Amino acid sequence: MAGSAIKPTPLLKDELDIVIPTIRNLDFLEMWRPFFEQYHLIIVQDGDPSKTIKVPDGFDYELYNRNDINRILGPKASCISFKDSACRCFGYMVSKKKYIYTIDDDCFVAKNPSGEQINALEQHIKNLLSPSTPYFFNTLYDPYREGADFVRGYPFSLREGATTAVSHGLWLNIPDYDAPTQLVKPLERNKRYVDAVLTVPKGTLFPMCGMNLAFNRELIGPAMYFGLMGDGQPIGRYDDMWAGWCMKVICDHMGWGVKTGLPYIWHSKASNPFVNLKKEYRGIYWQEDLIPFFQAAVLPKECVTVQQCYIELAKQVKEKLGKVDPYFIKLADAMVTWIEAWDELSSSEEKSSKQPNGTAK
């Protein structure tokens, strides 16, 4: 019926949480209202917990600040970053849902070349609910999309694909560049809309960006730790990269796939390249050791759960990267603390410590 107020039930409505880290009022949600309003939001407030964060009316949400994190996790709260968007992973931990979509508060709804608004969440869900092809590359990209299939020469034994654990989306307008690239290309904007989704091959790492990202929390959640970054740490802006490298090694070990490409969001503003350089410069230097470490990382066959894989990876981080800088010894310890906190919250039947302090009427 034309003009009906009845809204269609969104995909995975009761199985997905949207996690948003923020330091400001969430006015950006107004643009996302048609796509997010029927989902549950978990908002992780960074910085000063006494500051009031305003959320537009009509959204179903929980709001956690630093005081809540300290109350819920106790001494283990030390593993959650402060004054860094890495604090978002606390939202992954307290969620009770199977899937997570996380987005930054400077990301708006993008339009496709036909001028239609992109439902980013719907595309992520489609990515997660269809298989991946990590073992053999299909030159028509995602063979499970409508209008595509496996090309000639693709082994029939591999056409069933692998379970998809992570869907990595991209950005129009402001690209996700590091500080040196920002400085030499201050006016560059990404205007290319590439209508493609592809699986990152097994054994291949990639730079994961956390501003437009979805994953199967039940499957890979314990590996999506965004590290120790920000206040009191020697590095920032490598939180999602760290999670991406750890997650990919574990997905390869467990036989799961990672997709990248669609959906696009509109990244509205570039962060200050000089501030970014201060946060990143050690990471830019260290990554020349980090990438070979993750490329060579092997997990023993005895590791059959993500938690076991992650604890083993933490051990290897301490042994090998601890020689690069003492920070990695601290990070490895935080990785173990993260898993302990994750398991404690997960095993608490009533999760009585989870007391949201801001639910929309």
Side-chain angles (χ1 to χ4, degrees):
M1 178 177 165
S4 172
I6 298 172
K7 296 178 181 176
T9 303
L11 293 169
L12 302 179
K13 176 183 178 293
D14 299 316
E15 295 182 79
L16 183 142
D17 279 333
I18 299 171
V19 175
I20 305 167
T22 193
I23 56 170
R24 58 181 67 86
N25 294 334
L26 294 177
D27 301 325
F28 92 112
L29 284 173
E30 286 296 352
M31 179 179 261
W32 288 101
R33 188 179 289 277
F35 308 113
F36 290 179
E37 195 171 29
Q38 295 187 65
Y39 289 90
H40 181 68
L41 311 181
I42 297 177
I43 300 160
V44 184
Q45 178 183 342
D46 195 18
D48 183 1
S50 67
K51 184 180 176 184
T52 301
I53 297 289
K54 292 179 182 175
V55 182
D57 291 340
F59 287 94
D60 171 41
Y61 70 94
E62 300 164 63
L63 173 64
Y64 295 94
N65 61 32
R66 193 71 203 189
N67 293 339
D68 300 311
I69 295 171
N70 292 338
R71 171 174 54 80
I72 292 167
L73 296 185
K76 291 185 172 64
S78 61
C79 72
I80 305 297
S81 298
F82 185 57
K83 292 189 178 176
D84 192 278
S85 66
C87 68
R88 79 176 80 221
C89 61
F90 176 76
Y92 311 159
M93 188 183 277
V94 296
S95 170
K96 297 177 182 178
K97 304 290 176 59
K98 182 175 182 179
Y99 299 97
I100 295 286
Y101 174 52
T102 185
I103 184 171
D104 284 2
D105 61 10
D106 62 349
C107 294
F108 301 147
V109 179
K111 291 182 178 179
N112 65 23
S114 302
E116 301 161 323
Q117 288 195 323
I118 297 167
N119 185 343
L121 188 49
E122 182 179 63
Q123 178 65 50
H124 274 298
I125 291 168
K126 287 179 179 177
N127 290 348
L128 289 171
L129 294 183
S130 64
S132 296
T133 54
Y135 303 112
F136 204 86
F137 189 81
N138 192 56
T139 50
L140 267 183
Y141 305 116
D142 192 341
Y144 305 102
R145 281 185 71 183
E146 192 176 339
D149 210 325
F150 293 96
V151 297
R152 182 171 56 89
Y154 200 102
F156 283 87
S157 59
L158 294 177
R159 294 191 182 194
E160 204 172 291
T163 301
T164 301
V166 176
S167 170
H168 178 258
L170 299 175
W171 347 266
L172 293 171
N173 196 37
I174 306 291
D176 186 32
Y177 284 161
D178 54 36
T181 310
Q182 275 184 297
L183 286 165
V184 297
K185 294 183 173 182
L187 302 179
E188 185 159 286
R189 300 292 179 264
N190 182 32
K191 299 175 182 177
R192 289 186 303 161
Y193 177 95
V194 180
D195 186 13
V197 177
L198 58 151
T199 298
V200 183
K202 182 182 180 183
T204 301
L205 298 172
F206 74 107
M208 187 176 83
C209 172
M211 75 171 94
N212 175 27
L213 180 71
F215 60 93
N216 185 325
R217 178 187 176 276
E218 235 172 52
L219 212 58
I220 196 65
M224 298 298 278
Y225 175 48
F226 277 45
L228 266 186
M229 305 277 157
D231 201 46
Q233 309 304 331
I235 185 176
R237 283 172 56 82
Y238 269 83
D239 50 331
D240 41 9
M241 301 290 156
W242 182 263
W245 297 328
C246 293
M247 168 278 295
K248 188 59 166 62
V249 168
I250 293 172
C251 280
D252 286 352
H253 175 77
M254 299 293 283
W256 300 327
V258 176
K259 291 186 175 184
T260 186
L262 299 181
Y264 284 92
I265 48 86
W266 181 271
H267 186 204
S268 64
K269 63 178 187 285
S271 44
N272 186 307
F274 295 100
V275 173
N276 290 347
L277 186 60
K278 190 175 180 182
K279 293 177 180 178
E280 289 175 359
Y281 79 92
R282 284 188 179 90
I284 291 168
Y285 177 69
W286 286 339
Q287 71 186 19
E288 302 309 318
D289 289 299
L290 298 183
I291 301 304
F293 164 76
F294 282 107
Q295 285 174 328
V298 176
L299 299 172
K301 63 179 185 298
E302 291 77 26
C303 291
V304 294
T305 68
V306 171
Q307 282 91 331
Q308 289 170 345
C309 290
Y310 204 72
I311 294 294
E312 170 62 26
L313 205 49
K315 179 183 162 192
Q316 294 183 24
V317 166
K318 180 174 275 191
E319 286 174 0
K320 297 177 182 176
L321 294 180
K323 298 170 186 173
V324 174
D325 193 274
Y327 163 73
F328 291 102
I329 297 172
K330 188 178 179 183
L331 177 55
D333 289 339
M335 291 168 72
V336 174
T337 302
W338 159 265
I339 292 295
E340 291 171 352
W342 181 284
D343 286 346
E344 279 179 24
L345 276 185
S346 298
S347 63
S348 171
E349 287 182 7
E350 297 177 3
K351 296 196 176 182
S352 57
S353 61
K354 184 179 178 184
Q355 300 169 4
N357 62 4
T359 304
K361 302 295 183 194

